[in-house]
Amino acid sequence: MLQIPNVRLNSGHLMPQLGLGVYAPGQQDEVGQSVREALDLGIRLIDAASIYGNELEVGQAISSTSVAREELFITSKVWMDDMGYDSTMRAFEKSLKDLSLEYIDLYLIHWPKEDKRKETWKALESLHEQGVSKSIGVSNYYQKNLSELLNYAHICPAVNQIELSPFCYLPDELTFCQAQGIQVEGYAPVVRGLKKEHPVLVEIARKWSKTTYQILIRWNIEMGAVTIPKSIHRDRMIENATVFDFALDADDLTRLAALYDNTRVAWDPRDF
Ligand SMILES: NC(=O)c1ccc[n+]([C@@H]2O[C@H](COP(=O)([O-])OP(=O)(O)OC[C@H]3O[C@@H](n4cnc5c(N)ncnc54)[C@H](OP(=O)(O)O)[C@@H]3O)[C@@H](O)[C@H]2O)c1
């Protein structure tokens, strides 16, 4: 069984530091099985979202597991088209139903779409107060949008999920979240394989007898982030989660910090 440490969120709840992403365009038929494999291996954090179009399959996989509900950590997100108070409440209900859950562990605003951010956050605060979302947070919020939210929020976001790899690493964004007590969660940690042969990664991987995927995932851990690599393959899930038995050293971190080239798999939050 994989051993994955937890972090404590400002909501008081524990969150596993590594989970499974389930954004799988073109592979929807394999998502249910991948969630079952992950749960079987000991992965407890599943990063879902309504826009991924597979919450039913994720829900069926969760329902079929013998893992106790309180051990699971299930995330969902409200998509841009559903933002606004009432529509967020409806979107949450649909996700809850599709996922076959009575509560969600973490509900996030997926992207900071301009005109409905405030009402949407109010809806998330209501869901938290009702106890149906144990923690609430945001995704793709950089300092400008976070500062705006903190001006009207009664509840500080527990998590900010952002794209995170050395290739798009903006240190000030992490520092800002850490100063506010907001847990950073890094998505697309392995840059969808785009950088798997980068010579610096290859060298560091060789030094630690690890793969370049493991180096990128370990780097997310070194940054204090929660990380959610996606794979539908059992052997890759094991590989991706076997990153708690070594640590990058100062020299590695310096070399990795120099790789920034703003490579992203998703939009740049600075454009929002
Ligand atoms: N909040 C947001 O806006 C946002 C945006 C994007 C993603 N996310 C979340 O973050 C999760 C992860 O991001 P992502 O899926 O975009 O990118 P990612 O995790 O960086 O990369 C996933 C891709 O890399 C492959 N892969 C993973 N581990 C591998 C390994 N050890 N060896 C070889 N190939 C490997 C996977 O292939 P196989 O599956 O075929 O193994 C998949 O094609 C998503 O699933 C989603 O839950 C959130």
Side-chain angles (χ1 to χ4, degrees):
M1 188 73 81
L2 293 166
Q3 296 300 322
I4 296 170
N6 290 310
V7 295
R8 173 92 52 191
L9 303 178
N10 64 17
S11 58
H13 293 282
L14 291 173
M15 180 178 194
Q17 206 177 357
L18 185 141
L20 181 77
V22 297
Y23 176 57
Q27 299 173 313
Q28 297 290 38
D29 291 348
E30 285 141 288
V31 166
Q33 182 58 21
S34 76
V35 172
R36 275 186 282 275
E37 297 273 18
L39 297 175
D40 182 53
L41 288 168
I43 293 171
R44 297 290 176 256
L45 159 59
I46 306 295
D47 183 70
S50 58
I51 194 68
Y52 302 163
N54 53 28
E55 291 194 316
L56 268 175
E57 288 79 359
V58 172
Q60 283 161 4
I62 292 170
S63 301
S64 72
T65 179
S66 58
V67 180
R69 173 66 185 94
E70 57 272 19
E71 280 185 36
L72 301 174
F73 192 103
I74 311 298
T75 302
S76 184
K77 316 183 190 84
V78 55
W79 185 242
M80 289 189 266
D81 296 346
D82 292 321
M83 286 173 73
Y85 189 92
D86 292 336
S87 42
T88 295
M89 299 305 261
R90 284 193 294 273
F92 179 85
E93 278 306 316
K94 180 165 184 349
S95 287
L96 200 61
K97 187 163 172 278
D98 286 354
L99 289 164
S100 302
L101 294 176
E102 289 176 2
Y103 66 88
I104 283 178
D105 294 279
L106 175 66
Y107 199 51
L108 304 175
I109 300 180
H110 208 143
W111 282 91
K113 190 180 170 189
E114 53 187 299
D115 53 343
K116 294 186 178 163
R117 289 192 285 262
K118 185 173 177 181
E119 295 157 62
T120 307
W121 186 251
K122 295 286 161 206
L124 265 61
E125 290 184 330
S126 299
L127 293 166
H128 181 64
E129 279 153 15
Q130 291 168 23
V132 286
S133 185
K134 300 291 177 195
S135 302
I136 53 174
V138 293
S139 177
N140 298 301
Y141 273 56
Y142 278 174
Q143 285 181 60
K144 194 174 114 207
N145 290 320
L146 268 181
S147 300
E148 178 202 67
L149 182 146
L150 292 170
N151 277 331
Y152 55 69
H154 296 297
I155 301 172
C156 179
V159 168
N160 182 18
Q161 185 183 112
I162 55 174
E163 185 163 354
L164 192 61
S165 79
F167 302 95
C168 66
Y169 171 46
L170 298 170
D172 289 353
E173 299 300 338
L174 264 66
T175 307
F176 185 82
C177 288
Q178 281 154 0
Q180 305 294 332
I182 301 170
Q183 174 64 50
V184 171
E185 181 178 21
Y187 71 73
V190 302
V191 210
R192 295 191 187 155
L194 293 174
K195 302 286 188 179
K196 65 181 177 193
E197 284 164 8
H198 192 290
V200 171
L201 291 178
V202 170
E203 270 184 43
I204 297 174
R206 196 168 293 143
K207 172 172 152 187
W208 297 109
S209 301
K210 290 286 180 183
T211 67
T212 55
Y213 290 89
Q214 290 170 315
I215 298 301
L216 286 171
I217 294 166
R218 179 68 209 183
W219 180 86
N220 263 252
I221 302 295
E222 302 286 354
M223 294 300 111
V226 168
T227 183
I228 44 169
K230 172 262 174 188
S231 179
I232 55 161
H233 296 100
R234 187 181 174 94
D235 56 340
R236 291 179 180 176
M237 288 180 207
I238 297 169
E239 173 187 339
N240 293 350
T242 310
V243 293
F244 297 102
D245 55 354
F246 80 113
L248 298 171
D249 64 23
D251 180 51
D252 302 329
L253 294 174
T254 304
R255 297 183 74 193
L256 292 166
L259 298 185
Y260 177 87
D261 62 3
N262 206 29
T263 298
R264 292 172 181 276
V265 306
W267 299 307
D268 189 331
R270 289 170 293 191
D271 297 335
F272 276 71

